[in-house]
Structures are given as structure tokens and as C-alpha cells.
Amino acid sequence: MFEPLHDNVVLQKEEVENKTSSGIILSPQNKETPGIAKVVACGKGKYVDGNLVPLQVKIGDRVVYKEYATTSITYEDTDYMIVSEESILAILK
Amino acid sequence: MFEPLHDNVVLQKEEVENKTSSGIILSPQNKETPGIAKVVACGKGKYVDGNLVPLQVKIGDRVVYKEYATTSITYEDTDYMIVSEESILAILK
Amino acid sequence: MFEPLHDNVVLQKEEVENKTSSGIILSPQNKETPGIAKVVACGKGKYVDGNLVPLQVKIGDRVVYKEYATTSITYEDTDYMIVSEESILAILK
Amino acid sequence: MFEPLHDNVVLQKEEVENKTSSGIILSPQNKETPGIAKVVACGKGKYVDGNLVPLQVKIGDRVVYKEYATTSITYEDTDYMIVSEESILAILK
Amino acid sequence: MFEPLHDNVVLQKEEVENKTSSGIILSPQNKETPGIAKVVACGKGKYVDGNLVPLQVKIGDRVVYKEYATTSITYEDTDYMIVSEESILAILK
Amino acid sequence: MFEPLHDNVVLQKEEVENKTSSGIILSPQNKETPGIAKVVACGKGKYVDGNLVPLQVKIGDRVVYKEYATTSITYEDTDYMIVSEESILAILK
Amino acid sequence: MFEPLHDNVVLQKEEVENKTSSGIILSPQNKETPGIAKVVACGKGKYVDGNLVPLQVKIGDRVVYKEYATTSITYEDTDYMIVSEESILAILK
């Protein structure tokens, strides 16, 4: 499995048709629109001014992220994206 | 609901015709013009030089923000925008 | 009224014909020329290396500012501009 | 052999046909896709705010890295890539 | 009069024909050439890493400055320029 | 002779035909390919956050460096390159 | 005379025909080639993270500098260049 470095997070895309069960309407997937995905692996965090700042997200969180900032990889027939936590906007509760 | 990360803030657009009850005339909505919206969710703040700097806005505030700096998302048929507090110019009292 | 965030300042344009009473000739209003305006609201200041650096301007000051760095908004039929203090060059005494 | 400087890491490409034994499907090698490789040499780390931050990867790790960020060199008939750890996304366990 | 902010300095252009009394030949005034001017007002300095770094120039100094980095303003029929001290290269003794 | 400043290093190109005795094949010298050279002079290091960080390379080291980042100079009929240590990728042992 | 500010240095060009007495061949003066010059005046140094970092060069040093980074000025019929020490590569001993 993945062990992300620094403040990287591995996401698994949530297959959303036009409207998800939880009511999220995602305008057609263009790079500007945020995506929704689940966190499957987290890095340890990033050094800021000599201090390790831990991540705010954790495995299992549903998050809104900036689509254009991701790197895609397929592993055991599943699509994943790796993104820096800076490109994750919010957690969906 | 949303739990924004870092210094992100979730805004709900204030439907303004040409002149709002409180007297705000918004020149036609182009990306350069600031918008008016209500804060519906706030991040915890951002690390600056090792210190967590809390946000200055809070839920319920009416704020003037830079239109071009937002990320739009629709949730349960309501339009929201997610923006970093750096792109919020002022609170309207 | 406005409560600016961070080091933002709200300015009210000084209606200057070619030469103001105090002798200031403003070359035709192009984006490169500095403008003259009055401070009507101030932010609390900005965090620099963990310290809150207060603003140098205060309400009532007449200031010279970089025209191109402003965000315009009209409120109760009055034109205002919101600008970061970094784009204010000097106070006119 | 190589002794990388700072936070540089030397990688040896993993020859992947379309699907590797461990199930990783790499879309055709274009600069946007991440690559998979083995770590063969590591730098001591990088100074951040006066502190030496050690590397998170070590010799023998299989890593996912950003293809476009590498510098290629051939040594004793073997292809190597030198990359900064910032461009390594995750370790594959 | 002017009270410059931060590390801004107000300069009054030295009217130089081709060769000034003090022997300074200024190639035709194009943006690349440095100019010569007198300091008429100084800011308090700039915060660098939490410390206020005072200015090195003072009122009355003759300085060499980068022409392209100035903001021009006319006040009581006199041309002034406002420039950050970073764009002042040297004091002429 | 040269006394480089800051973290600059003076290199003397290693004349490599297609394959050097030590087995290094350098793809045709284009700006993207790294070069191989010997260190002939070193600066004292660079200040990072107030601390002088010494160089990792020393005189006599054979290094892999980014070709495009060098400044060339000929001295007593010998070609040298001056480069910042940041553009040196690894030492060849 | 000049009193440079910050980490600025005033250089006097060394008139080099193709090969100087000390054997320095300067490829035709294009902006990419480094120049050779003598230091005639030095600034006090630059603040880095709150500490004043003194200059490494001193008056009388012969230095190799990046041609494109200079500002030229003629004073009492002599050509000078003002450059930041960051653009000086090495001292020639």
C-alpha cells in the first residue's frame, strides 16, 4: 500500500453521478471544479519553520479537493490520486 | 456540513440585486469586483512562523471578498464558495 | 460600516480636479499614477514572523496610494477602495 | 557510486510493462504520470530554518515520483535518475 | 509635506543637463539608467524577521536610484518621486 | 586563482568522450543533461536563517552538476565553470 | 564618491582586450559572459533573518561578476557599475 511523504495525502475518488446521495452536485468535471474523495493514506506532515505541522485530515475523511492539483496513479485496478494537503479545502462531515 | 482546513472559509453568496437593503451597490459581477457573502464555516487558522494564527472572521459575519479567488461547490441545492481568509477584505458591520 | 481584515485599509477618494487646494497636481488618472484619499477604516495589522505589526496609518489620514492595487466597492452611494497598507506610499501632513 | 547532495535521491527505474507484478498500471509514460523506482542512494537531508531535516526515504524503498522533476544519467550501462525528495510522493509498501 | 511609510523614501530629482557640476554624466534618461536625486523625506524602516531595520539614507543625501522603480507625484508645482530604499543603490558623498 | 563567494563552486570540466573510463555515458551535451567535473575551488557556504551552512563538496571531488546552471570563464587557457552548490546533484565516489 | 547601500558594490571595469596580462580570456562581451572588475566601494552588508551579514569582498579585490546584473553610471568621466554582491561569483587572487 502507499505511505505518502511530507504533507501528501492519497485519495480514492468518490464516483459521483450528477448528484450524490449526500446531495452534492458537482458541476461537470472540469479542472476548476473541486472534487470529492475519501482519504486512504496520509503523510506525517510538513516542516514549517523547524516544526513538524501534522496533517488535519485522517484516513476515512471525505474531503473537497482542488482537482487540478492531483497526481493520478492506478494500483491493483483502483484509481488513486496523490495530493498535498494544501490543495484540500474542507472535510465533509 | 463543511469543516474547512487551514485558513479556508466557506461563504454563502448574498443574493444582491443592484442595490441591497443595506445600500451596497455591486457593480456588475465581474471577476475584479468584490462580492458580499455570509460566513457559514471557518478553518482553525494557518501556521505562520511556527505559530497558529487564528482567523479574524467568524460564522455569521457578512464579508467583502475577492470574487476571483473562490472555489465554487453546490451542496444540498445551495451554492457555496470556499476561499482563503487572505482573500477576504473586510467584515461589514 | 467596514472592519478591514489584516493590513487592509478602506480609503475614500479625494475628489481632485487638476489641482487640489493643497497644491497636489495629479496627472490624469491612469493606473500608474498614485492617488490621494482619506483613510476611513483600518485593519489590526499583519503577522510578520509571528509578531503582529500594527498599521502606520490611522483613520483621518490623507494618504498617497498606488491606484492599480485597489479593490473598489460602492456603499450607501459612496465609492470606497480597499487596499493593503503595503500599497500606501506616504501620509500627507 | 553516487553520494547525492542535500535532499537529492538517486533512483533506479523499475522496468514496468503495462502492469507490474504488484498490480501497478502505469499509464503510458508521459511527463505528467508518476513513475515507480527503487532508491539506490540518499542525500543527508536539507536545512530548513537552520535545522537539518533528514530524508524520509531510505535505500531499497520503492517510491512513486514525479517523472518531470528528474535528471537522468547513465552509469556503467545502467540508467539512473536524480531527484529531490520533494518530488517523491509516496513509498510503496 | 510627505511622511513616507515603511522603507519608502521621497526624492526630489536633481535637474542634470548632460554633465552635472559634480561630474556626473547621465546617459539619456531611459528606464535602465540610474538617476540622481536628493532625499526630502524618509520612512521609519521595514520589519525584517520581526525586527525594525532602520533606513541607511537620511534627509539631504544625494543618492543614485533605479529610475524604473519610482512612483511620480507633483506637489505644489514640484516633481517628487517615491521609491523603496531597496531601489536606492548608493549615496553620493 | 579563484576564491568563490557564498556557496559558489569552481569546476573544471572532465573531458568525456562518449564513455568515460569509469563507465559514465553522457548523452550528447545538451543543456538538460548533467555534466561531470572536478571541484577546483569552493566558497565558504551560505547563510540560511542566520546560520552559515558549509558546503558538502570539497576540492578534488568529482561531481554531477546541472549543465544549464553554470557560468563559463576561461583562465590561463583552461575552461572553468562557476556554479552554485544547489546545482550540484551528487559526488561520484 | 559612492557609499553603496545594503549589499551593493561599486565596480570599475578592467579594460580587457581579448587576453589580459593575467591570462583571462573573455569571450566577446555578451550578457551571459562574466566580467572582470575591481571593487572601488562596498555597502555594509544585508540583513538576513535579523542579522547583518557583512560582505565577503573588499575594496581593491579583482572579482568575476555577472554582467547582466549590473547598473552602469559614469562619474567624473569614469565608467562604474553598481551590483549586488549576490551577482559576484568569485574573487581573483
Side-chain angles (χ1 to χ4, degrees):
Chain A
M1 221 8 230
F2 296 100
E3 186 185 298
L5 294 191
H6 317 304
D7 67 338
N8 287 313
V9 175
V10 178
L11 303 177
Q12 201 178 333
K13 253 194 208 301
E14 207 177 75
E15 283 326 323
V16 276
E17 344 83 332
N18 202 283
K19 187 163 165 182
T20 66
S21 55
S22 62
I24 297 179
I25 300 178
L26 286 180
S27 19
Q29 288 309 79
N30 65 52
K31 279 288 171 188
E32 287 309 309
T33 352
I36 307 284
K38 207 174 70 177
V39 174
V40 295
C42 294
K44 295 189 184 76
K46 195 167 77 163
Y47 280 90
V48 177
D49 304 301
N51 312 303
L52 182 66
V53 176
L55 297 188
Q56 294 188 13
V57 299
K58 59 184 180 323
I59 294 177
D61 280 343
R62 280 177 71 222
V63 295
V64 181
Y65 64 93
K66 293 179 183 172
E67 192 72 60
Y68 62 81
T70 61
T71 300
S72 309
I73 184 166
T74 303
Y75 181 64
E76 293 184 351
D77 301 332
T78 309
D79 292 334
Y80 294 96
M81 295 164 297
I82 304 178
V83 69
S84 150
E85 197 193 50
E86 276 174 26
S87 302
I88 297 180
L89 297 165
I91 300 167
L92 277 167
K93 295 281 181 181
Chain B
M1 221 11 231
F2 296 99
E3 186 185 298
L5 294 191
H6 317 305
D7 66 338
N8 287 313
V9 175
V10 179
L11 302 177
Q12 201 179 332
K13 253 192 208 299
E14 206 177 76
E15 283 325 323
V16 276
E17 342 84 337
N18 202 282
K19 186 162 166 181
T20 66
S21 55
S22 62
I24 296 180
I25 300 178
L26 286 180
S27 18
Q29 287 309 80
N30 66 51
K31 279 290 171 187
E32 286 308 309
T33 353
I36 306 284
K38 207 173 71 178
V39 173
V40 295
C42 293
K44 295 189 184 76
K46 195 168 75 163
Y47 279 90
V48 177
D49 304 302
N51 313 302
L52 182 67
V53 176
L55 297 188
Q56 294 187 12
V57 299
K58 61 184 180 320
I59 293 177
D61 280 345
R62 280 177 71 223
V63 294
V64 181
Y65 64 93
K66 293 178 183 173
E67 192 71 60
Y68 63 81
T70 61
T71 299
S72 309
I73 184 166
T74 304
Y75 182 63
E76 293 184 348
D77 301 333
T78 310
D79 292 335
Y80 294 96
M81 295 164 297
I82 304 178
V83 69
S84 149
E85 198 195 48
E86 278 174 23
S87 301
I88 297 180
L89 296 166
I91 299 168
L92 278 167
K93 295 281 181 182
Chain C
M1 222 9 232
F2 295 100
E3 186 185 298
L5 294 191
H6 317 304
D7 66 340
N8 287 313
V9 176
V10 179
L11 303 177
Q12 200 179 333
K13 255 192 206 298
E14 205 176 76
E15 284 326 323
V16 276
E17 341 84 339
N18 202 284
K19 185 164 168 179
T20 66
S21 54
S22 61
I24 296 180
I25 301 176
L26 284 181
S27 19
Q29 286 309 80
N30 68 49
K31 281 288 171 187
E32 287 308 309
T33 353
I36 306 285
K38 207 174 71 178
V39 174
V40 296
C42 294
K44 296 190 183 75
K46 194 168 75 163
Y47 279 89
V48 177
D49 303 301
N51 312 302
L52 182 67
V53 176
L55 297 188
Q56 294 187 13
V57 299
K58 61 184 182 317
I59 293 177
D61 279 346
R62 280 176 73 223
V63 294
V64 181
Y65 65 92
K66 294 178 182 173
E67 192 72 61
Y68 64 80
T70 60
T71 299
S72 309
I73 185 165
T74 303
Y75 181 63
E76 295 185 348
D77 301 333
T78 309
D79 291 336
Y80 294 95
M81 296 163 297
I82 305 179
V83 69
S84 149
E85 197 194 49
E86 277 175 27
S87 302
I88 298 180
L89 297 166
I91 299 168
L92 277 167
K93 296 281 180 181
Chain D
M1 220 9 231
F2 297 99
E3 186 186 299
L5 295 190
H6 317 304
D7 67 338
N8 287 313
V9 175
V10 179
L11 303 177
Q12 200 178 334
K13 254 193 206 305
E14 207 177 75
E15 283 326 324
V16 275
E17 345 84 319
N18 202 281
K19 186 163 166 180
T20 65
S21 55
S22 62
I24 296 180
I25 301 176
L26 286 181
S27 19
Q29 288 310 77
N30 65 53
K31 280 288 169 188
E32 286 308 309
T33 353
I36 306 285
K38 206 175 70 177
V39 174
V40 295
C42 294
K44 295 191 184 73
K46 195 168 77 164
Y47 279 90
V48 177
D49 304 301
N51 312 302
L52 182 66
V53 176
L55 297 187
Q56 294 188 13
V57 299
K58 59 185 180 323
I59 293 178
D61 280 344
R62 280 177 72 222
V63 295
V64 181
Y65 64 93
K66 293 179 184 171
E67 192 73 59
Y68 63 81
T70 60
T71 300
S72 309
I73 185 167
T74 304
Y75 181 64
E76 294 183 352
D77 301 332
T78 309
D79 292 335
Y80 294 95
M81 295 164 298
I82 304 178
V83 69
S84 149
E85 196 194 52
E86 276 174 28
S87 302
I88 296 179
L89 298 164
I91 300 167
L92 277 167
K93 295 280 178 177
Chain E
M1 225 4 238
F2 295 100
E3 185 185 298
L5 295 190
H6 317 303
D7 67 339
N8 286 314
V9 176
V10 179
L11 303 177
Q12 200 179 332
K13 254 194 207 302
E14 204 175 77
E15 282 328 322
V16 275
E17 342 84 332
N18 203 285
K19 186 165 168 178
T20 66
S21 54
S22 61
I24 295 180
I25 301 176
L26 285 182
S27 20
Q29 285 311 80
N30 69 49
K31 281 289 173 186
E32 288 309 309
T33 353
I36 305 286
K38 206 174 71 176
V39 174
V40 296
C42 293
K44 295 190 183 76
K46 194 168 75 165
Y47 279 89
V48 177
D49 304 301
N51 312 303
L52 181 67
V53 176
L55 297 188
Q56 294 187 14
V57 299
K58 61 185 183 317
I59 293 178
D61 281 345
R62 279 176 72 223
V63 294
V64 181
Y65 65 92
K66 294 179 183 173
E67 193 71 60
Y68 64 80
T70 60
T71 299
S72 308
I73 185 166
T74 303
Y75 180 62
E76 293 184 350
D77 301 332
T78 310
D79 292 336
Y80 294 95
M81 296 165 296
I82 305 179
V83 69
S84 148
E85 196 193 51
E86 278 174 25
S87 301
I88 297 180
L89 298 165
I91 299 168
L92 276 167
K93 297 281 179 181
Chain F
M1 218 13 233
F2 296 101
E3 184 185 298
L5 294 191
H6 318 302
D7 67 339
N8 287 314
V9 176
V10 179
L11 303 177
Q12 201 179 333
K13 254 193 204 308
E14 206 175 76
E15 282 326 324
V16 275
E17 347 83 324
N18 202 282
K19 186 164 168 178
T20 65
S21 55
S22 61
I24 295 180
I25 301 177
L26 285 180
S27 19
Q29 286 312 81
N30 67 51
K31 280 289 171 187
E32 287 308 309
T33 352
I36 307 284
K38 207 175 70 176
V39 174
V40 296
C42 293
K44 296 191 182 75
K46 197 168 76 165
Y47 279 89
V48 177
D49 304 301
N51 312 302
L52 182 67
V53 176
L55 297 188
Q56 295 189 13
V57 299
K58 59 185 182 321
I59 293 178
D61 279 345
R62 279 177 72 222
V63 295
V64 181
Y65 64 93
K66 294 179 184 173
E67 192 73 59
Y68 63 79
T70 60
T71 299
S72 308
I73 185 166
T74 303
Y75 181 64
E76 293 184 352
D77 301 332
T78 310
D79 292 335
Y80 294 96
M81 296 163 297
I82 305 178
V83 69
S84 147
E85 196 193 53
E86 275 173 29
S87 302
I88 297 180
L89 298 164
I91 300 167
L92 276 167
K93 297 280 178 181
Chain G
M1 224 7 239
F2 296 100
E3 184 185 298
L5 294 190
H6 318 303
D7 67 339
N8 287 314
V9 176
V10 179
L11 303 177
Q12 201 180 332
K13 253 193 205 310
E14 206 175 76
E15 281 327 324
V16 275
E17 346 83 328
N18 203 284
K19 187 164 168 177
T20 65
S21 55
S22 62
I24 295 180
I25 302 176
L26 285 181
S27 20
Q29 284 313 80
N30 69 51
K31 280 290 171 185
E32 288 309 309
T33 352
I36 306 283
K38 206 175 71 176
V39 173
V40 296
C42 293
K44 295 191 183 77
K46 197 168 74 165
Y47 279 90
V48 177
D49 304 301
N51 312 302
L52 182 66
V53 177
L55 297 188
Q56 295 188 12
V57 300
K58 60 185 183 319
I59 293 177
D61 280 345
R62 280 176 71 222
V63 295
V64 181
Y65 64 92
K66 294 178 184 173
E67 193 72 58
Y68 64 79
T70 60
T71 299
S72 307
I73 185 166
T74 303
Y75 181 63
E76 293 184 351
D77 301 333
T78 310
D79 293 335
Y80 294 95
M81 296 163 296
I82 305 178
V83 69
S84 148
E85 196 194 53
E86 277 173 26
S87 302
I88 298 180
L89 298 165
I91 299 167
L92 276 168
K93 297 280 175 178

